[in-house]
Amino acid sequence: MTTLGGLHMARSSRVIPMADFGDYIERGEVDIVYAWNENPPVVTLPGGDKLIEAVREGRVALIVHDPYWSETAKLANVVIPAPTFLEKYDVVYSYWHDYLVYNEPIKSP
């Protein structure tokens, strides 16, 4: 089975364990945080309070790509609006079966 994850094209240069995220922020090892479709960086991520402090002090740039105006989006330096699955054309793959599903928006923009 072939997946559409894009990992054949590029790999992440560094992966930070979520449990240690606050320590990386505190040591100044993170300059930019890009969060998409999630609220945990501020609400539930261990060390989220350190991210809040670093963004407010200007030590870290926070970019959020999300369809919702979350706590993380409210803190962000840049917010990129994202459509929901109801608003866009998409091809969706599943972890449970080998079929691709074509999704159409529920109405025209």
Side-chain angles (χ1 to χ4, degrees):
M1 181 171 111
T2 303
T3 61
L4 301 174
L7 295 177
H8 65 286
M9 298 176 70
R11 299 255 183 241
S12 175
S13 60
R14 180 171 63 160
V15 176
I16 297 175
M18 290 179 71
D20 300 332
F21 181 72
D23 297 332
Y24 280 79
I25 295 282
E26 200 167 62
R27 290 192 302 262
E29 296 181 34
V30 175
D31 299 321
I32 298 173
V33 174
Y34 176 77
W36 68 96
N37 294 334
E38 64 174 338
N39 197 23
V42 170
V43 177
T44 60
L45 189 66
D49 58 327
K50 295 174 184 172
L51 174 62
I52 293 169
E53 181 181 320
V55 170
R56 287 185 177 155
E57 292 175 357
R59 294 183 284 124
V60 173
L62 176 59
I63 302 167
V64 174
H65 186 191
D66 204 316
Y68 305 104
W69 194 243
S70 64
E71 288 86 351
T72 304
K74 291 175 186 173
L75 177 68
N77 303 97
V78 176
V79 177
I80 304 167
T84 68
F85 70 95
L86 297 172
E87 303 169 287
K88 66 179 183 171
Y89 293 97
D90 200 0
V91 176
V92 183
Y93 66 95
S94 173
Y95 293 108
W96 298 281
H97 56 71
D98 294 333
Y99 300 105
L100 292 175
V101 176
Y102 177 68
N103 185 65
E104 291 189 19
I106 59 171
K107 66 182 238 177
S108 298

